[in-house]
Amino acid sequence: MALFDDFLVRAALAGIGVALAAAPMGCFVVWRRMAYFGDATAHAAILGVALALALDIPVFGGAVAVALVMALTVSSLSGRGYSMDTLLGVLAHSALAFGLVAVSFLTDVRIDLMAYLFGDILAVSRGDLAVIWGGAVLVLALLLWRWQPLLTATLSPDLAYAGGLDPRREQLVLTLALALVVAVAIKVVGVLLIAAMLLVPAATARPFARTPERMALLAVGVAVASVLAGLWASLKFDTPTGPSIVCAAALMFLFVLLLRGIRQPA
């Protein structure tokens, strides 16, 4: 067990666990153009954290529950008179505001709000590591189990109906997986940066992928590299670790954009 006494090893393992869960899920977020959906679900998680601390239940459980409720609420309200981006914008920022207000009432509980907003990967414990990897395995199991139906429903709901699939059920699977990703990523990058970990690796991998499976694998590679590069930069330059990880991912995306511009001159 001495290996797990090294906080850097624990931090790296936690980041890799989040990368394994977030990157494939991020591909579906990109394909379905659900960026705001991920944002709203992530922002709602801070309310879940506050409720979990108030009720003295595990933070992971509270975050999953509230993120899932938010995701289901968004799905049920879509198409009822408001555009999806307007609805998601209202719900995302409202959920974050209510969560921050709820945290302010927890006078008997010591809470490092910045750790939940921007992550605190260097403080990951063995218990946190077990939760992160347990959640990541659940997400991967869900995606592997429903991979082909999810792809079909993403490509064309009509095609899914013709094949005997229910697109709403596949949407529910994605909703559950997204809630799990949000819950496991809170400790690593925080609720404000979870959407970036979903989107940026998938967007970086997209130009190099000829198949959905290849894109998911490349996105995992980008996410893992971002975690390791961000950890290194954080230690070397004494910068916040969660934001440093996202910055590393963003720089990879920028490099890909520049590379494509050089290869395909106007």
Side-chain angles (χ1 to χ4, degrees), residues 9-29:
V9 173
R10 290 199 304 270
L13 289 175
I16 291 170
V18 169
L20 289 174
M25 188 65 211
C27 292
F28 282 101
V29 170

Side-chain angles (χ1 to χ4, degrees), residues 122 229-245 247:
L122 296 180
L231 272 173
W232 174 83
S234 175
L235 291 170
K236 183 171 180 62
F237 302 110
D238 194 25
T239 54
T241 311
S244 297
I245 290 171
C247 286

Side-chain angles (χ1 to χ4, degrees), residues 29 75 98 104 112 182 196 201 204 224 227 239:
V29 170
S75 296
F98 276 109
S104 71
D112 182 1
V182 167
T204 304
V224 170
V227 166
T239 54

